[in-house]
Amino acid sequence: MELGDIKIDSSKVWESTISCAIIEEEDVDTQFGLMHVAIQGDRAKPAIFTYHDIGMNHTTSFQCFFNFADMQPILRRFCVYHLNAPGQHENALTLSDHYQFPTMDNLSEMVVTIMEHFNVPRFIGFGVGAGANIFTRLALMEPMKVDALFLVNPTCDVCSWSEWGYQKLSNFYLRGRGMTKFTEDYLMWYHFGKTSAELLIKTQSLEINHDLVQVFRENLKAVNPGNLSKFVESYVKRNEISIHRETDPSKPKNLHTLKCAVMLLVGQYSPHLEHSVSMNAKLDPANSSWMKVSDSGGLLLDESPQKTCEVFRLFLQGMGYVPSLSIASLARNRSSSNSMLTGVVSSEAVC
């Protein structure tokens, strides 16, 4: 399925409000090290867990999207726990050379510890890239703990030879020289689906918002390169997630695949498009959906927040959550939020 008929104002990357600001941040000790968790909302409400991709953290990956005006009616019904892989959050201390960074399976096990720490029995997972991979592993390992998965740029395969080569070389530079031009170019391609040269052309032609690209570059400068290299290496070494669609009618359909509701979302120009198609082929079509967002790359939450929010709302409604929300009510909320903003905001502002 392709999502291309929701009309948005292309002059704006997003609109934000401050009604659901982060209210608490905490470092939680797990069996594989500390995990930084940012909590947004009332803990008495149903839980949404988020997990970011490589080169990102909860702030750079989710803050703008979850402060987007259309998300506010949804957030009022949930408590969001933003998870950060070890050493990836803002101002994180450099991980020791002796620290054994968790494998992808270990990172999924850490999520269980977070659930126990905050007394969360079940959650809806909202993962991007590596975060989507981590949540998928957990849903397969502990199906009773995961209500549903909303996965952006997902993959369940091992990395390709080209991906392995680029990431290994990128890691070499991260460990020895920090954030080099090569690593920056690789991460730009990984998230935008375009090289730096291609992005320059696209921003000049206004096909990609110039401010979004600039903010992404600035965020990369704040990343701890040593810590990022450990996360990237763990992702490069990931093993295949053993799921497949059962075709034998005499056997249960979800015996070897995910049992919860799953939405796979990917941008039309995302470099992870084929991975998402491959994963979709391994899921039970009775409880999973795949959707491609037109005119978008890999940074869906920033490039197409309104479309992504609409898909997320429909996904939640399909599970019985937020049944009263509609596009009209979201539009009214957006109008109300805009009227509350003070000062002059540039029409091309980004978070």
Side-chain angles (χ1 to χ4, degrees):
M1 182 181 296
E2 182 168 344
L3 185 67
D5 37 342
I6 295 179
K7 303 301 181 183
I8 62 173
D9 182 357
S10 60
S11 68
K12 297 184 180 181
V13 179
W14 46 256
E15 302 168 55
S16 65
T17 67
I18 57 174
S19 61
C20 287
I22 299 297
I23 60 171
E24 184 180 354
E25 298 192 25
E26 183 175 340
D27 289 322
V28 180
D29 194 13
T30 76
Q31 66 273 45
F32 300 107
L34 290 177
M35 174 172 276
H36 189 80
V37 182
I39 305 163
Q40 185 174 3
D42 182 356
R43 293 195 195 183
K45 295 179 179 178
I48 294 175
F49 278 19
T50 73
Y51 214 123
H52 59 88
D53 204 351
I54 60 172
M56 309 285 277
N57 54 48
H58 86 268
T59 302
T60 56
S61 187
F62 297 107
Q63 180 171 279
C64 290
F65 178 72
F66 277 86
N67 284 336
F68 179 58
D70 286 8
M71 281 296 294
Q72 303 317 299
I74 296 175
L75 288 185
R76 285 195 283 269
R77 294 163 168 82
F78 294 93
C79 180
V80 183
Y81 298 78
H82 299 289
L83 312 186
N84 293 271
Q88 307 305 306
H89 59 281
E90 287 186 340
N91 303 316
L93 298 176
T94 301
L95 297 171
S96 168
D97 291 338
H98 304 292
Y99 173 66
Q100 183 65 45
F101 197 89
T103 65
M104 296 300 285
D105 284 327
N106 294 154
L107 289 169
S108 69
E109 293 171 31
M110 293 175 73
V111 178
V112 177
T113 305
I114 299 301
M115 295 177 68
E116 294 170 349
H117 179 82
F118 292 109
N119 196 28
V120 175
R122 299 173 66 87
F123 70 89
I124 297 169
F126 193 127
V128 180
N133 188 277
I134 291 167
F135 280 152
T136 301
R137 292 171 187 274
L138 178 60
L140 192 63
M141 178 179 65
E142 297 279 2
M144 298 304 294
K145 296 184 182 298
V146 182
D147 266 336
L149 291 177
F150 189 86
L151 307 178
V152 180
N153 298 328
T155 179
C156 61
D157 302 320
V158 298
C159 68
S160 64
W161 281 109
S162 59
E163 181 185 2
W164 179 86
Y166 277 112
Q167 290 190 350
K168 290 294 286 186
L169 187 55
S170 175
N171 251 12
F172 173 78
Y173 287 131
L174 281 171
R175 288 194 298 266
R177 305 180 188 176
M179 186 62 68
T180 64
K181 183 68 164 57
F182 178 88
T183 300
E184 180 183 299
D185 282 348
Y186 170 73
L187 290 173
M188 296 295 283
W189 171 84
Y190 178 90
H191 289 287
F192 285 95
K194 306 290 181 185
T195 63
S196 292
E198 291 173 328
L199 281 173
L200 178 60
I201 296 173
K202 294 293 185 182
T203 54
Q204 289 175 342
S205 64
L206 302 181
E207 291 182 54
I208 296 179
N209 186 280
H210 176 268
D211 289 340
L212 177 58
V213 175
Q214 287 301 109
V215 167
F216 185 84
R217 289 185 187 277
E218 289 302 314
N219 287 337
L220 288 180
K221 294 178 182 179
V223 170
N224 185 306
N227 293 356
L228 174 58
S229 72
K230 294 179 183 294
F231 188 23
V232 170
E233 184 172 12
S234 179
Y235 192 46
V236 168
K237 292 181 177 179
R238 67 185 183 271
N239 60 313
E240 182 180 4
I241 301 177
S242 300
I243 58 175
H244 67 267
R245 181 181 298 179
E246 184 57 67
T247 56
D248 187 342
S250 65
K251 296 181 180 180
K253 288 186 176 181
N254 59 3
L255 185 62
H256 300 291
T257 191
L258 300 178
K259 296 177 173 62
C260 64
V262 184
M263 169 58 74
L264 308 181
L265 195 66
V266 66
Q268 179 180 1
Y269 306 115
S270 171
H272 314 290
L273 178 60
E274 291 185 8
H275 286 301
S276 71
V277 172
S278 174
M279 182 170 176
N280 181 57
K282 299 178 181 181
L283 298 177
D284 181 1
N287 65 353
S288 64
S289 299
W290 176 89
M291 187 171 289
K292 179 175 68 176
V293 181
S294 62
D295 302 321
S296 295
L299 282 178
L300 272 179
L301 306 190
D302 296 298
E303 293 180 70
S304 302
Q306 191 168 336
K307 293 180 180 179
T308 304
C309 178
E310 177 65 5
V311 176
F312 190 46
R313 177 187 68 84
L314 293 173
F315 179 62
L316 293 175
Q317 286 185 328
M319 298 176 56
Y321 293 103
V322 295
S324 60
L325 282 183
S326 65
I327 294 179
S329 64
L330 291 177
R332 287 194 298 271
N333 179 80
R334 192 184 315 131
S335 176
S336 175
S337 298
N338 289 342
S339 67
M340 294 173 62
L341 294 175
T342 58
V344 177
V345 181
S346 168
S347 65
E348 293 185 355
V350 293
C351 185

